[in-house]
Amino acid sequence: ARTLTVPVSINGGVWFPDGRRLLVTGTEAGHRSRLYVVDLEGGAPRPITPEGARLQSALSPDGGSVAATIEGDAARIFPIEGGEPRAIPGIGQDDDILSWSDDGRSLFVARRAALPVRIQRLDLDTGQKIPWKDLLPADTAGLTDIGFINLSADGRSYVYSFRRVLSTLYLAEGLR
């Protein structure tokens, strides 16, 4: 076990393929969230996106770039080692980035605006979306939304959470 002390409030993170770095979403005091690279050998976290990065982001399989959505802006692919980010063709404002495909040629994205939640595979060269899976639990009583979604690296397995609100209605007659 190793304790990392960083001047960033971390909201979540993933390991780089090399196992020596973390990609984290976090905030520094007085700033909005962004993505940082944290090296396990120490040093200050290195920001790789502008402020306003949402939690919906995905590290490429080779660890060389991250697909991220910035509040009020289009989703982009940011190179980890610096350089100009590039636009992601075909992605919409309502698309949440879930993960990269294991071949690095497409992203899995979800639209959460309605139920069922539709997951699509987005080709990064053409911007074409191919439906992959619609998520909806078998019992939809009280269902409010689909929450956390995680896909396996090969895109063959998935897990998700959902919220439901159930209540009981009592009818009383003849009360005075």
Side-chain angles (χ1 to χ4, degrees), residues 45-143:
R46 181 171 49 93
I48 58 168
T49 64
E51 290 184 26
R54 292 178 27 203
L55 286 173
Q56 289 82 17
S57 62
L59 184 62
S60 65
D62 66 1
S65 56
V66 62
T69 303
I70 308 299
E71 293 170 7
D73 197 1
R76 300 194 187 290
I77 295 176
F78 295 87
I80 297 297
E81 297 306 324
E84 286 299 311
R86 67 180 171 103
I88 300 172
I91 198 162
Q93 291 287 349
D94 294 332
D95 290 327
D96 286 341
I97 298 167
L98 300 177
S99 67
W100 289 74
S101 61
D102 59 353
D103 65 6
R105 297 178 54 185
S106 57
L107 291 172
F108 288 99
V109 297
R111 290 246 168 131
R112 297 175 191 259
L115 294 171
V117 170
R118 171 155 289 175
I119 298 176
Q120 297 175 309
R121 190 175 179 129
L122 172 69
D123 186 294
L124 290 171
D125 291 328
T126 67
Q128 179 184 11
K129 290 180 181 171
I130 300 167
W132 182 75
K133 181 69 117 176
D134 287 346
L135 299 181
L136 190 66
D139 180 0
T140 60
L143 182 65

Side-chain angles (χ1 to χ4, degrees), residues 20-64:
R20 298 185 327 236
R21 298 173 295 162
L22 290 165
L23 174 69
V24 300
T25 304
T27 54
E28 292 179 88
H31 296 274
R32 295 185 303 153
S33 67
R34 66 192 317 175
L35 297 177
Y36 297 87
V37 174
V38 176
D39 192 317
L40 296 184
E41 298 304 317
R46 181 171 49 93
I48 58 168
T49 64
E51 290 184 26
R54 292 178 27 203
L55 286 173
Q56 289 82 17
S57 62
L59 184 62
S60 65
D62 66 1

